[in-house]
Amino acid sequence: MKEILQRWRAIDGTWLEMRRMRPSDAPKVKESLNRLSPDARRSRFFASIAEFSDDAVRRLVDVDPRNEYLLVVTRRDNGMEIPIAGGRFVQQNDGTDCTFSLLIGDPWQGQGIGRRLLKALMREASRRGLRRMCGQVLAGNRPMLALARSLRFAIVDSEQDAGVVEVQRQLAATAWQRWRAFLQSAWRR
Ligand SMILES: CC(C)(COP(=O)(O)OP(=O)(O)OC[C@H]1O[C@@H](n2cnc3c(N)ncnc32)[C@H](O)[C@@H]1OP(=O)(O)O)[C@@H](O)C(=O)NCCC(=O)NCCS
C-alpha cells in the first residue's frame, strides 16, 4: 500500500488508485491503449495509431526515472489492476523545464482524473526543482485546453506545427527549495 499515492472513488463508486508506473505494467497498459478511441489516440499522440505494438508500449512504460516521471491510475477487477489513465513529464536537458502529457481512458474522461494527474505531476516537478512545465496540445482539444487554463497554464503558439498549441506555466518552488536557495545565497555572500 505504501506505493499508492492517492486512492479515491470515481463517480460510479469504483475505487481508483494512483501510483508510479512500473515496467511490469506494460502488458496491461497495452490492452488499455488498444481500447482507446481514435480521437483519444490522436489527441495524445497526434497520429492515428491503429495498433500499439509491444515495442511501442515498452518505450512508453520503461523510462529512465531520473529524467521521466510516469504515473498510472488503475482500477481493480477481481484483484487485478487495470490501467485506466496515465500522465508523465519528461525533463528537458537544461534541467529546469519539463514537458507533460496525459491520457485518460474514454469512459473515465470528464471525472477529474486528468486534473488530479496534472496536479500530481506539477507537485513532483516542483519537488525536483523544475521551474517550468509545458505541453503540446492539438489546437482543437477543448477539454485539455480548459483543464490547462483552469490550472493557470498560458496557451501560446507552438513551434511544432500549425494545428498544435503549447500550454506552459511556471512552477512554484517548494518551501525546501526556497530554503535551499536562501542558504546558497547566504553562503555565497
Ligand atoms: C484531455 C484530458 C487529459 C482531460 O482529462 P479529464 O480527466 O477528462 O479532465 P477532467 O475531468 O480532469 O477535467 C478538468 C477540466 O477540463 C475541462 N473539461 C473536461 N472535459 C471537458 C469536455 N468534454 N469539454 C470541455 N471541457 C472539459 C473542464 O474545465 C474541467 O474542469 P471542471 O472539472 O471544473 O469541469 C482527457 O480527456 C484525455 O486524456 N483526452 C485524450 C488524450 C488527450 O487529449 N491528452 C492531452 C494531450 S497532453
Side-chain angles (χ1 to χ4, degrees):
M1 272 310 264
K2 228 174 90 190
E3 61 177 22
I4 304 298
L5 303 174
Q6 293 183 33
R7 191 162 186 269
W8 73 99
R9 275 187 195 275
I11 288 169
D12 68 358
T14 306
W15 277 107
L16 300 178
E17 292 177 341
M18 186 192 294
R19 63 167 170 78
R20 287 188 76 165
M21 185 85 81
R22 310 183 198 106
S24 59
D25 291 319
K28 289 281 170 216
V29 168
K30 183 180 172 192
E31 284 173 24
S32 299
L33 287 172
N34 281 320
R35 274 198 295 269
L36 286 171
S37 67
D39 255 9
R41 293 173 198 220
R42 212 172 64 82
S43 296
R44 165 62 182 83
F45 300 102
F46 301 180
S48 317
I49 300 169
E51 181 81 15
F52 290 87
S53 66
D54 289 337
D55 264 3
V57 175
R58 194 160 24 78
R59 279 197 299 276
L60 285 173
V61 163
D62 195 357
V63 299
D64 178 352
R66 287 168 305 180
N67 299 326
E68 292 194 38
Y69 184 69
L70 185 48
L71 293 173
V72 64
V73 175
T74 61
R75 67 177 173 89
R76 283 186 190 269
D77 189 8
N78 286 324
M80 188 117 72
E81 283 183 303
I82 312 289
I84 60 135
R88 79 171 60 220
F89 66 73
V90 183
Q91 291 177 216
Q92 305 304 314
N93 297 335
D94 64 2
T96 60
D97 288 17
C98 64
T99 308
F100 79 89
S101 55
L102 296 173
L103 183 53
I104 318 300
D106 295 83
W108 302 93
Q109 292 175 8
Q111 302 186 32
I113 299 172
R115 180 184 298 279
R116 271 181 194 266
L117 275 167
L118 188 47
K119 285 169 90 173
L121 295 177
M122 287 163 59
R123 268 195 303 276
E124 175 62 16
S126 292
R127 199 193 62 77
R128 291 186 183 198
L130 301 175
R131 304 315 305 268
R132 204 172 78 106
M133 180 173 263
C134 54
Q136 302 292 319
V137 180
L138 287 182
N141 188 345
R142 284 181 37 218
M144 186 61 233
L145 293 177
L147 170 57
R149 254 189 228 105
S150 75
L151 290 177
R152 293 188 287 115
F153 281 78
I155 299 169
V156 300
D157 287 341
S158 166
E159 287 160 16
Q160 194 167 325
D161 98 52
V164 176
V165 294
E166 182 167 296
V167 299
Q168 50 178 241
R169 66 160 283 171
Q170 300 296 318
L171 296 167
T174 60
W176 157 242
Q177 273 136 17
R178 284 196 297 272
W179 177 234
R180 195 173 57 178
F182 168 75
L183 288 180
Q184 280 167 348
S185 70
W187 180 252
R188 274 191 230 110
R189 262 184 231 138

